[in-house]
Amino acid sequence: MAPNDTARARPVTAWEWVLRVTVPAALAALLWEFVTAGQLITYNLDALPFHYAGAFAVHVTTGAQLLAAGALWSSKGRGPGTHRTVLLLSLGAFVVGFPQAALGTYGPLQAHVPLALLLVTLVVWSAALIFRRRST
């Protein structure tokens, strides 16, 4: 954004602020999961309850992200564009989190880890879109 464009930049709405809180919260929960997963890889099984609790935090934060994205999309007239993309990414993150967590408990880690990477990609992509300033 050029220095002269700051006067024309639209203000951030309340739902965008909510997303700007929930998306970093989801990223923090995912970071927690990576840290505790690293402990599990080194056979520190004391980290298992923390990793398990972190999965619940991921579900809660991506659920809150999905609700905020839905409210933002709904408040903006349900048209195409960035808000719809953030809604779809948030929906994808929320949905992928459940089989990803289930595979960590009951399935092969060869599927758990790639789904974790997909989950992180969806949330990071959401963060990139929601923090990008737009003048329209």
Side-chain angles (χ1 to χ4, degrees):
M1 181 182 298
N4 295 336
D5 290 343
T6 56
R8 289 183 277 160
R10 66 169 172 74
V12 176
T13 67
W15 286 114
E16 286 174 320
W17 279 114
V18 172
L19 265 174
R20 288 181 177 199
V21 171
T22 57
V23 171
L27 288 172
L30 289 167
L31 179 62
W32 175 263
E33 287 295 86
F34 276 120
V35 169
T36 57
Q39 291 296 309
L40 292 173
I41 289 173
T42 61
Y43 299 106
N44 178 5
L45 296 181
D46 293 336
L48 187 59
F50 298 108
H51 191 69
Y52 185 75
F56 287 102
V58 170
H59 296 317
V60 168
T61 56
T62 56
Q65 176 185 335
L66 176 59
L67 291 174
L72 177 62
W73 178 71
S74 179
S75 71
K76 292 293 185 179
R78 299 182 182 183
T82 301
H83 299 304
R84 184 182 63 181
T85 305
V86 172
L87 175 62
L88 293 174
L89 291 169
S90 300
L91 176 63
F94 183 68
V95 169
V96 164
F98 289 97
Q100 189 270 339
L103 286 170
T105 304
Y106 302 110
L109 289 180
Q110 294 85 348
H112 177 71
V113 174
L115 284 177
L117 296 176
L118 174 61
L119 180 58
V120 169
T121 301
L122 292 169
V123 176
V124 168
W125 192 358
S126 298
L129 291 177
I130 198 63
F131 283 102
R132 183 176 66 175
R133 294 291 294 173
R134 306 244 0 216
S135 60
T136 56

